[in-house]
Amino acid sequence: MQFFSWMSFKSDSGERRFFRPLGGDEKKSFKIHLLSAVFGGVSMGVVINHDYIAVNGLHAAAWQITALTMLWPISNMLAVFINHWLDRRGRYDRAVLIFGVLSRLPVALMFFSSSVNVMLVLLLLFFASNSVILPAQNSIMKKRYSQNNRARLFGWWTSAFTLFSLPMAMLAGALLDMDFQFYRILFLVEALFGAGQALFLSRMARGMESGAVKNSTGGGSAHFFRSLWAIFKNDRDFAWFEIYFFIYGIAFLMLLPVIPFFAIDRLGLDYEQYALAKGVIGQMGVLLLSPFLGVRLEKLHPFRFTGIVCLLLAFYPLSLAFGNWIPDMGILFFYIAYAVFALGMAGVRMSWNISSLHFAPPGQEATYQGLHVTMTALRASFAPILGSVLLHFGGFSEAFMVSSGLFALSGILFLRKYRKRKAEGVLV
């Protein structure tokens, strides 16, 4: 009964909140936000195939795949500084437009190249745009959406994003199986639609100014660094949330350089099979569950919500391990692993994008999310290397089991913290 209570769509007052009507300004903003989801989803459908394009088509070395898996998070290393500046000065529309377009369009140059090293450089630029776009999107949502609607609308945005990324991922896989040279066209699509996502998000932010006049952390660098330390020192719940999320991130990132080689060397998957697992099955939970999970996140404290999904994700690498131990059923367990991944990551994606808003004071949303994104960059500086080292000196099973243990540890810590804060009488 407790499980079905957690699954309920009703609020405590019995009101159905899944399709709560929107006001005029919210509706207008949400329409623009959905257009950004369409363009971003198409671009993501190509991004999902990056590692397999590099390994199976461009014959990337193990170190290049490890570097590829580190690019997105490491490119966000400066997110906290950029978004502190945004919180102080505003002009989110201009920042998103400049970073989104100028950083994402150059990946189209892969049309002329077959070099993995060129691909790495161009993708570093492409992913660097996220250090502005993702935290700025949080500030935009907090400004444009009411508190009661924010998580739910982001859930619908995420479903729309995934609705377009799924068929694009499958189409990309089918085209690559037909003729690998289609990868050149796919990078053009990634660049144009990725820039289009930024254009619509910039339009959504037009006229929006910073709300941090009274919350400014000062103009000097020394004062800024002291203010960052003060956030972790004074906002202890946010600090613990980031520590536990850091452990989850290690478990997730260490698998990224391992899975492409497992799919090729152990399972012998083609592009379409890989796209089906990672791009369709692995994203189906995000497509179907995101609006519902947005409703749940409105009610559940981030510690409890994130703890539940991290425990579920422990079965993702465990299923991959079973595929390694039972080769005759390897492909089946690979698909099962991504079905588990789909359920867990639907929740993690909501938590990753929304939870910092729970902790952030008014006017510091982008700074808090910038810190959150920067922590992603820090763990990316070593977690994929850990996965590669375990693969080299141990094997697939060793990498999968360590990852499973870290997922479980993070989930247990999240839930233990939630119970402790609840026992202390803190409102959660």
Side-chain angles (χ1 to χ4, degrees):
M1 292 298 293
Q2 186 177 6
F3 174 78
F4 288 106
S5 173
W6 191 81
M7 295 283 285
S8 171
F9 288 112
K10 290 186 178 182
S11 68
D12 294 335
S13 62
E15 174 194 5
R16 289 190 178 274
R17 302 191 300 172
F18 201 60
F19 295 105
R20 187 187 299 119
L22 302 177
D25 290 340
E26 273 189 320
K27 183 182 293 187
K28 180 181 178 181
S29 294
F30 186 53
K31 287 180 180 178
I32 300 172
H33 206 189
L34 284 180
L35 288 173
S36 79
V38 172
F39 276 73
V42 172
S43 182
M44 179 56 66
V46 181
V47 172
I48 287 171
N49 288 278
H50 279 169
D51 52 1
Y52 222 57
I53 290 173
V55 171
N56 211 28
L58 301 181
H59 309 295
W63 73 266
Q64 291 172 314
I65 294 302
T66 302
L68 177 61
T69 62
M70 297 169 69
L71 282 182
W72 176 79
I74 283 185
S75 67
N76 295 321
M77 185 68 75
L78 298 179
V80 64
F81 307 103
I82 296 171
N83 290 285
H84 165 72
W85 183 87
L86 277 177
D87 267 342
R88 284 174 46 79
R89 291 169 175 81
R91 296 315 309 263
Y92 301 93
D93 55 340
R94 183 180 298 173
V96 169
L97 183 64
I98 292 173
F99 277 85
V101 174
L102 296 184
S103 294
R104 291 185 170 186
L105 282 180
V107 80
L109 295 174
M110 275 302 294
F111 182 87
F112 304 103
S113 176
S114 59
S115 167
V116 178
N117 290 331
V118 171
M119 178 180 173
L120 292 175
V121 172
L122 295 176
L123 287 178
L124 179 63
L125 287 173
F126 185 92
F127 292 134
S129 66
N130 292 330
S131 64
V132 171
I133 289 176
L134 296 180
Q137 181 174 243
N138 269 35
S139 294
I140 294 167
M141 288 191 298
K142 192 157 188 176
K143 179 71 173 180
R144 299 304 189 203
Y145 300 149
S146 67
Q147 182 175 353
N148 290 335
N149 286 331
R150 193 175 302 132
R152 180 176 61 92
L153 292 179
F154 182 74
W156 281 111
W157 181 90
T158 303
S159 284
F161 183 95
T162 310
L163 180 64
F164 284 85
S165 70
L166 294 187
M168 188 63 213
M170 283 301 295
L171 176 61
L175 290 174
L176 291 168
D177 278 331
M178 186 186 309
D179 183 350
F180 178 70
Q181 293 305 311
F182 275 117
Y183 84 89
R184 301 178 188 274
I185 302 296
L186 291 174
F187 276 110
L188 282 177
V189 171
E190 178 181 338
L192 293 174
F193 279 82
Q197 178 191 10
L199 283 171
F200 283 111
L201 194 60
S202 173
R203 175 65 183 84
M204 186 181 175
R206 189 173 297 172
M208 192 182 101
E209 298 297 334
S210 172
V213 175
K214 295 182 180 180
N215 296 296
S216 172
T217 53
S221 298
H223 189 93
F224 175 50
F225 281 109
R226 287 196 299 270
S227 72
L228 294 182
W229 172 249
I231 289 176
F232 283 115
K233 181 179 179 181
N234 299 327
D235 196 340
R236 301 306 296 272
D237 280 351
F238 179 67
W240 284 116
F241 181 86
E242 288 301 316
I243 290 170
Y244 302 154
F245 214 95
F246 196 89
I247 297 172
Y248 146 80
I250 296 172
F252 173 75
L253 291 170
M254 66 176 289
L255 289 178
L256 297 184
V258 177
I259 289 176
F261 291 103
F262 179 67
I264 294 174
D265 298 340
R266 190 67 168 166
L267 303 181
L269 301 185
D270 59 28
Y271 288 109
E272 196 164 1
Q273 288 174 311
Y274 190 73
L276 173 62
K278 187 177 179 182
V280 178
I281 297 175
Q283 302 299 315
M284 195 62 70
V286 178
L287 171 65
L288 299 177
L289 297 179
S290 292
F292 151 69
L293 291 174
V295 173
R296 299 313 305 160
L297 188 54
E298 289 177 2
K299 290 184 63 178
L300 297 181
H301 192 281
F303 283 127
R304 185 183 182 194
F305 183 90
T306 313
I308 291 170
V309 296
C310 284
L311 285 179
L312 176 61
L313 279 169
F315 293 96
Y316 156 52
L318 186 61
S319 298
L320 293 172
F322 274 106
N324 188 48
W325 296 330
I326 311 174
D328 291 342
M329 300 179 66
I331 295 179
L332 174 62
F333 276 112
F334 194 75
Y335 289 149
I336 291 173
Y338 272 98
V340 175
F341 176 89
L343 295 174
M345 288 306 295
V348 165
R349 188 170 296 185
M350 289 300 302
S351 179
W352 195 91
N353 284 280
I354 297 294
S355 289
S356 66
L357 293 178
H358 175 89
F359 301 101
Q364 290 191 334
E365 299 85 11
T367 298
Y368 266 64
Q369 184 68 356
L371 273 169
H372 188 57
V373 172
T374 299
M375 293 292 284
T376 302
L378 291 176
R379 58 182 175 256
S381 65
F382 69 91
I385 297 173
L386 172 63
S388 295
V389 169
L390 285 171
L391 177 61
H392 180 75
F393 291 101
F396 292 117
S397 294
E398 287 77 3
F400 295 148
M401 294 308 295
V402 170
S403 174
S404 181
L406 290 173
F407 276 127
L409 176 62
S410 64
I412 291 169
L413 291 173
F414 272 123
L415 292 175
R416 188 178 72 170
K417 185 66 175 179
Y418 170 79
R419 289 193 296 269
K420 180 180 178 181
R421 298 296 281 160
K422 189 174 182 180
E424 293 171 350
V426 177
L427 183 64
V428 292

